Amino acid sequence: MKLCYWLTLCLSCAPALCSAADEPTNFRVGVGSWQLSIDPGQPDSDDRGIALMAEFPQSEHAGSRFLYYRQQGEQGYWLHGVETQLFWGWGLNQPGWRLFSGPSWYWQKSHSDQQSHQVHNGWGWHLGTGWQWQALILDVSASYRLPDEYRVNGKTPDVTTTNLMLSYRF
C-alpha cells in the first residue's frame, strides 16, 4: 500500500517537475483501481485491487500498455500479475476523448484458502475510453479473458477485468 501512496505523490508532483515551456512526450505512467471477476468462482465482483501502468501511444491510432496488478479479496483469495495490451483507436496521443480496443496477454499467480498457488496465462480482448486534459489522462476499460485457463470441474466461467486509471504524460 505504501507504493500506492508514493506513486500518487509522484503523479501529483509531476507537473511541477516539468517546465511550462516543455511539451510532454507520449510516455505515460499511472495508477488505478483494478478488478478481476470470475463468474462462477473466486474472486467475486466485490473484490478490488490496485494497478500500476506504463503506456506509450505510438501514434494517434496505435499504442501499447503494460500493467502490474495486485488484488486481495476478503475470502482469502489473492492474486498478482502482469498484462500487456496492444490497442488501436482514436485520440490516443492528443488532448480530448480517447477510444481504444485490442488484444491483451496476461500472466498471473493466485492463491486461496482452499487451493494452493495457481498460475494462469492467456489471451484476452479489451475495450476502453478516456479523456486527456493537458498531461493528465483518465481511462476506464474492461477486458474479457479467454476462460480456458480458469476451467474448474469442466465448468467454463466468464472471466472479466475492469480498471479505472489516472496517468500522467511525461
Side-chain angles (χ1 to χ4, degrees):
M1 223 30 176
K2 287 182 180 182
L3 180 60
C4 176
Y5 295 119
W6 281 107
L7 284 172
T8 304
L9 179 64
C10 289
L11 283 174
S12 64
C13 294
L17 299 175
C18 297
S19 71
D22 291 342
E23 179 65 26
T25 68
N26 276 333
F27 181 70
R28 298 129 193 244
V29 175
V31 63
S33 172
W34 188 88
Q35 176 187 39
L36 170 71
S37 179
I38 302 172
D39 185 29
Q42 285 185 334
D44 64 23
S45 59
D46 294 333
D47 297 335
R48 300 210 186 290
I50 186 169
L52 307 175
M53 67 86 102
E55 177 183 310
F56 187 78
Q58 285 83 10
S59 72
E60 176 75 11
H61 302 290
S64 57
R65 179 182 286 173
F66 177 81
L67 292 165
Y68 170 79
Y69 54 87
R70 185 173 192 87
Q71 179 175 328
Q72 187 164 356
E74 294 180 10
Q75 303 139 349
Y77 187 92
W78 63 263
L79 62 93
H80 65 98
V82 294
E83 184 170 331
T84 58
Q85 299 175 340
L86 298 177
F87 46 88
W88 300 282
W90 294 271
L92 299 180
N93 68 351
Q94 300 296 324
W97 284 108
R98 298 163 38 99
L99 180 64
F100 52 90
S101 183
S104 60
W105 180 86
Y106 67 92
W107 175 93
Q108 78 182 25
K109 189 173 186 179
S110 62
H111 176 77
S112 71
D113 292 340
Q114 295 89 14
Q115 299 174 353
S116 62
H117 292 331
Q118 291 183 319
V119 174
H120 303 281
N121 60 31
W123 294 95
W125 194 268
H126 65 96
L127 175 66
T129 187
W131 180 261
Q132 179 175 313
W133 179 74
Q134 295 181 356
L136 293 175
I137 300 99
L138 180 65
D139 281 338
V140 61
S141 67
S143 67
Y144 176 79
R145 292 183 173 178
L146 296 176
D148 297 340
E149 284 287 316
Y150 296 92
R151 284 192 180 148
V152 177
N153 299 330
K155 295 181 182 178
T156 304
D158 288 324
V159 184
T160 58
T161 68
T162 55
N163 64 63
L164 177 66
M165 304 296 285
L166 178 64
S167 59
Y168 185 78
R169 216 174 95 184
F170 289 93

